[in-house]
Amino acid sequence: MSKLISVISQKGGVGKSTTTVLLANVLFFYFKLRVAIIDADYPQNSIAKKRKKELDIAKDNPRLQALYDSIYADREPYPIIPTNLPSAISMCERLGDDFDCIFLDVTGTINQDGYKEVLQNINHFLIPCLEDEFSIWSALELYGTIQQQIKPSSAAFEDCHLFFNKIPRMNIIPHLLKQLTPHFNFLPAHLYEYKHYERKYRSTLFPIPRAKKPGVRLF
């Protein structure tokens, strides 16, 4: 049975789509899981657009094309399917059990028709927040909404975690976690503020170089 995962946030700029791509990359290339992304963040559909752009760049770059041909000699890239919110769950059902996990990227506006019905089908929620009080408040508000309004009526819900993202080298995360973890389900791990994650390693086609420092941080 496919697990439906959503990296979700009401606040822009916290790395929702980037984290989705990074997790899909790690699970697909290094854990050999069958992965798919349904990009229902309409009308941006930024993940689907990124895949198309990467494919176009690879076709025009002999080195990247050779790497692509080597990686995908006996398999296809994991699918990224653009859609909108009303069609998101039917798209998940159409994929059936062909995948171990399906990432559902949705818009951050929770107060729209059909949004909560979509959330009731998700198994695992991941809520990113920054080392910033407004970002933390927004994340905790969303966490409370999921716990109070989604979990009680959802047959699919399994867990909901918060995590810190884009964290600078000098930070107060241990202090914040000590304050927050007794009351909220925060992951002990966090993602550092590496520009590589957004500029270089946020690839839907090529594996993150595990030996590089930013890559190591993801494992």
Side-chain angles (χ1 to χ4, degrees):
M1 186 71 177
S2 300
K3 293 295 183 181
L4 190 56
I5 304 166
S6 186
V7 183
I8 186 171
S9 173
Q10 297 181 99
K11 193 171 181 63
V14 296
K16 173 177 65 72
S17 297
T18 294
T19 302
T20 297
V21 171
L22 292 174
L23 288 174
N25 189 300
V26 170
L27 294 178
F28 180 73
F29 287 110
Y30 294 105
F31 288 88
K32 308 302 181 184
L33 296 184
R34 298 169 300 165
V35 174
I37 294 179
I38 295 178
D39 184 355
D41 191 2
Y42 181 85
Q44 293 87 0
N45 293 123
S46 57
I47 297 178
K49 289 176 181 175
K50 178 168 178 57
R51 165 62 66 80
K52 183 179 184 304
K53 182 178 180 180
E54 285 185 280
L55 286 169
D56 290 341
I57 290 173
K59 289 177 183 178
D60 294 331
N61 186 311
R63 182 184 66 83
L64 290 178
Q65 186 62 55
L67 180 60
Y68 178 94
D69 293 340
S70 173
I71 292 173
Y72 298 109
D74 57 358
R75 60 174 173 170
E76 295 291 325
Y78 65 80
I80 299 175
I81 304 168
T83 187
N84 54 28
L85 191 66
S87 303
I89 296 306
S90 61
M91 187 64 69
C92 292
E93 293 171 348
R94 194 180 308 172
L95 294 179
D97 296 330
D98 293 337
F99 297 91
D100 297 304
C101 55
I102 299 171
F103 288 92
L104 179 57
D105 192 42
V106 295
T107 178
T109 307
I110 196 168
N111 294 319
Q112 60 176 302
D113 292 342
Y115 195 94
K116 291 181 180 178
E117 287 74 10
V118 169
L119 298 191
Q120 287 174 345
N121 289 272
I122 292 172
N123 303 116
H124 304 283
F125 294 90
L126 295 169
I127 304 175
C129 63
L130 309 182
E131 189 189 38
D132 169 82
E133 61 179 335
F134 294 116
S135 180
I136 294 172
W137 290 343
S138 176
L140 293 181
E141 181 182 20
L142 178 58
Y143 178 86
T145 298
I146 291 171
Q147 294 288 347
Q148 296 165 19
Q149 299 183 29
I150 304 302
K151 180 180 178 180
S153 58
S154 171
F157 180 93
E158 295 188 30
D159 52 51
C160 179
H161 292 88
L162 301 112
F163 69 97
F164 283 103
N165 193 21
K166 298 186 178 182
I167 299 304
R169 185 175 62 86
M170 300 298 293
N171 62 76
I172 59 169
I173 295 303
H175 172 70
L176 290 173
L177 288 176
K178 186 176 180 180
Q179 287 185 312
L180 293 167
T181 49
H183 310 287
F184 304 97
N185 197 12
F186 266 86
L187 293 174
H190 54 271
L191 289 175
Y192 284 90
E193 188 180 21
Y194 283 125
K195 293 300 180 183
H196 285 71
Y197 289 154
E198 293 186 352
R199 296 177 181 174
K200 191 173 181 180
Y201 295 163
R202 187 180 54 180
S203 175
T204 71
L205 289 178
F206 304 113
I208 296 168
R210 190 170 185 172
K212 301 288 186 180
K213 185 178 179 181
V216 171
R217 293 287 193 182
L218 286 169
F219 294 88

